[in-house]
Amino acid sequence: MMYHASFQNTLEGRWRMLPSIRAGQVPPGFPEPKRCVTVERGGVPLARIDVYEEYLGAFEELIVWGRWIVIGLGSSAHLVDPVARQTHSLACDSYFGHLYPLEKHLLIASDSALQCLDEQGELMWRREHLGLDGVIVHEVLDDVIKGEGEWDPPGGWRPFRLSLASGVSLPV
């Protein structure tokens, strides 16, 4: 059965009663999370995720990918298994950019890099220096990632092609 996850600005009583799953590093003396995510399965509350980040940044995204609730914001991406109550957090250089879910892989873009995770949430590879102020993926076709990195903002985008299996650069 599929999960439904959503960002919440305020939590109702039933959500406050659930023990939270903490994602990110909880700063000392800062008890309130930056964002809360509620997770339901079949319309029934399953989990509350409290996300801790130093700052929120310009981009945030929330998706359900396989068994994972994936939360991108600030300078991290967090994978949370709401049933096992496990979390994996990945640093994203200066800021998180975008999530690109594929059937068996998850691509996480940041300001200058692209990371690829497998279905278990394990990092397969990380490709740095794809841009200076943003990395976007246009398509993944025949195990080739086609995208662009912004090197000279605003608008100075340069194309790249990478192997989905390894992250190795391919001719453009």
Side-chain angles (χ1 to χ4, degrees):
M1 189 177 295
M2 220 28 201
Y3 301 125
H4 173 73
S6 59
F7 284 118
Q8 301 295 323
N9 292 323
T10 59
L11 293 174
E12 298 175 15
R14 67 180 181 164
W15 291 106
R16 288 192 171 278
M17 303 304 286
L18 281 176
S20 69
I21 300 170
R22 293 181 174 175
Q25 187 172 357
V26 181
F30 195 80
E32 291 296 314
K34 287 286 187 179
R35 296 291 268 151
C36 291
V37 173
T38 55
V39 182
E40 296 178 345
R41 185 168 49 191
V44 176
L46 177 66
R48 182 183 95 217
I49 304 166
D50 292 345
V51 185
Y52 293 88
E53 281 291 323
E54 191 173 328
Y55 74 97
L56 289 180
F59 305 103
E60 66 180 35
E61 198 168 345
L62 172 65
I63 63 169
V64 175
W65 181 65
R67 73 174 206 228
W68 303 103
I69 306 301
V70 186
I71 307 160
L73 63 105
S75 60
S76 303
H78 307 280
L79 281 76
V80 180
D81 179 332
V83 173
R85 301 182 66 79
Q86 295 175 329
T87 64
H88 294 293
S89 296
L90 293 114
C92 290
D93 297 332
S94 294
Y95 64 82
F96 162 78
H98 192 65
L99 301 171
Y100 298 95
L102 306 171
E103 185 178 338
K104 296 186 179 199
H105 301 89
L106 176 66
L107 301 175
I108 302 171
S110 67
D111 58 323
S112 62
L114 192 63
Q115 299 180 75
C116 181
L117 282 67
D118 66 15
E119 294 171 288
Q120 305 309 312
E122 298 296 325
L123 182 66
M124 293 177 56
W125 53 260
R126 176 184 172 93
R127 176 75 175 150
E128 297 183 14
H129 308 296
L130 292 174
L132 182 64
D133 191 27
V135 172
I136 55 175
V137 172
H138 294 300
E139 70 176 348
V140 180
L141 188 60
D142 297 328
D143 293 327
V144 174
I145 302 166
K146 295 178 183 178
E148 291 181 303
E150 187 173 31
W151 285 95
D152 187 18
W157 295 89
R158 294 185 202 158
F160 64 79
R161 292 181 62 212
L162 305 174
S163 162
L164 178 61
S166 65
V168 170
S169 289
L170 302 170
V172 176

